């Protein structure tokens, strides 16, 4: 399920949308299963250093986004990197060894390229997610594939994001009938992202409301200091 929804979340509109899943952070003990499951969904998966380097340098030459590749298909990007994949390949998934500012591929990628990062303990996985958010994405969104309520709650508590989508493709952070978030094309990121709202922008944020405030009688009896 996680592999299927990850491919959906990363490939949507060839990765242009900011809510497209940028990375998949998973337990090291399940790496073989993760790779196999992604491949069954049609993804190109590589932990080959030469291939990863080629894709990194193609998307981010000298660490800067290559504007000519924005929104292109996975096959077109692979071709530009000197890698041959089937035309129908939905995403390119590449494993990296670190997260955050030390890995260009952890930046926002406006293309169907997914970063794979493994962890030994769950807290380490959350740390990788936090490192990535602090590079590009603070206040935006995160997703988790889990049946563990404690892990789900920990993600909401420890990551500076305005939305956490659970067992859904990440693009559903933009609103879905199945999760209660307001459908929108503009997702507020709160003060983390220098925004004035930390929710999905809707019509209510664009109207003026005049509030008439009557004095209310206090229900408190006696001194508040008693």
């Amino acid at each position: 399920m996680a592999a299927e929804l990850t491919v959906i979340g990363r490939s949507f509109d060839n990765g242009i949308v900011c809510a497209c899943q940028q990375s998949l952070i998973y337990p090291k003990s399940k790496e073989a299963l993760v790779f196999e499951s992604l491949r069954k969904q049609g993804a190109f998966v590589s932990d080959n250093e030469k291939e990863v380097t080629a894709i990194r340098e193609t998307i981010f030459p000298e660490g800067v986004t290559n504007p000519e590749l924005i929104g292109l298909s996975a096959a077109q990007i692979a071709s530009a990197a000197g890698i041959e994949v089937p035309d129908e390949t939905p995403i390119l998934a590449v494993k990296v060894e670190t997260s955050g500012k030390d890995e260009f591929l952890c930046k926002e990628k406006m293309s169907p390229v997914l970063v794979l990062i493994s962890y030994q303990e769950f807290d380490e996985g959350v740390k990788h997610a936090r490192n990535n958010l602090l590079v590009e994405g603070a206040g935006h969104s995160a997703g988790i594939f889990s049946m563990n309520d404690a892990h789900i709650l920990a993600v909401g508590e420890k990551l500076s994001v305005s939305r956490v989508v659970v067992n859904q493709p990440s693009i559903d952070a933009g609103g879905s009938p199945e999760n209660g978030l307001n459908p929108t094309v503009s997702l507020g990121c709160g003060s983390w992202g220098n925004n004035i709202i930390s929710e999905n922008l809707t019509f209510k944020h664009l109207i003026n409301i005049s509030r008439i405030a009557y004095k209310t009688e206090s229900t408190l009896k006696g001194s508040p200091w008693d």
Side-chain angles (χ1 to χ4, degrees):
M1 178 268 286
E4 179 183 10
L5 297 182
T6 291
V7 171
I8 292 172
R10 182 64 250 171
S11 64
F12 180 80
D13 207 11
N14 277 350
I16 285 287
V17 181
C18 58
C20 285
Q21 186 173 335
Q22 298 291 335
S23 59
L24 179 62
I25 303 169
Y26 59 89
K28 177 67 175 179
S29 61
K30 295 187 177 182
E31 182 166 279
L33 177 60
V34 169
F35 285 14
E36 178 188 3
S37 300
L38 287 170
R39 287 177 176 131
K40 284 183 177 179
Q41 296 298 320
F44 168 82
V45 181
S46 179
D47 57 359
N48 179 285
E49 184 177 349
K50 184 177 179 180
E51 291 178 335
V52 174
T53 298
I55 291 174
R56 179 190 298 112
E57 293 180 351
T58 298
I59 296 176
F60 296 112
E62 299 183 0
V64 179
T65 299
N66 184 345
E68 295 183 2
L69 298 182
I70 291 175
L72 295 189
S73 70
Q76 289 173 306
I77 293 171
S79 178
I83 300 170
E84 186 175 345
V85 303
D87 288 342
E88 65 273 16
T89 301
I91 67 170
L92 309 177
V94 292
K95 184 181 178 185
V96 299
E97 300 302 323
T98 188
S99 57
K101 61 182 178 61
D102 296 323
E103 174 55 72
F104 290 138
L105 284 169
C106 289
K107 297 168 62 176
E108 182 177 6
K109 300 168 290 296
M110 291 181 284
S111 57
V113 177
L114 177 77
V115 164
L116 301 171
I117 305 174
S118 66
Y119 64 82
Q120 296 291 345
E121 302 293 336
F122 181 73
D123 285 345
E124 180 189 356
V126 176
K127 182 178 179 181
H128 283 311
R130 185 187 303 116
N131 289 344
N132 289 352
L133 284 166
L134 292 177
V135 174
E136 289 181 347
H140 203 287
S141 309
I144 180 171
F145 303 112
S146 177
M147 302 301 178
N148 185 319
D149 287 338
H151 283 179
I152 294 169
L153 185 60
V155 165
E157 291 178 334
K158 295 179 180 180
L159 297 184
S160 302
V161 293
S162 301
R163 291 152 291 271
V164 177
V165 292
V166 181
N167 297 329
Q168 303 163 64
S170 60
I171 52 173
D172 282 2
S176 165
E178 296 184 346
N179 64 21
L181 297 175
N182 286 312
T184 183
V185 295
S186 185
L187 285 66
C189 297
S191 59
W192 298 299
N194 297 319
N195 295 166
I196 62 171
I197 63 171
S198 59
E199 58 184 333
N200 292 6
L201 181 72
T202 68
F203 72 92
K204 72 176 184 178
H205 299 107
L206 306 176
I207 62 175
N208 295 324
I209 300 173
S210 297
R211 294 175 173 84
I212 300 175
Y214 284 86
K215 182 178 178 180
T216 58
E217 295 296 327
S218 174
T219 59
L220 180 67
K221 303 300 182 183
S223 171
W225 307 110
D226 291 343

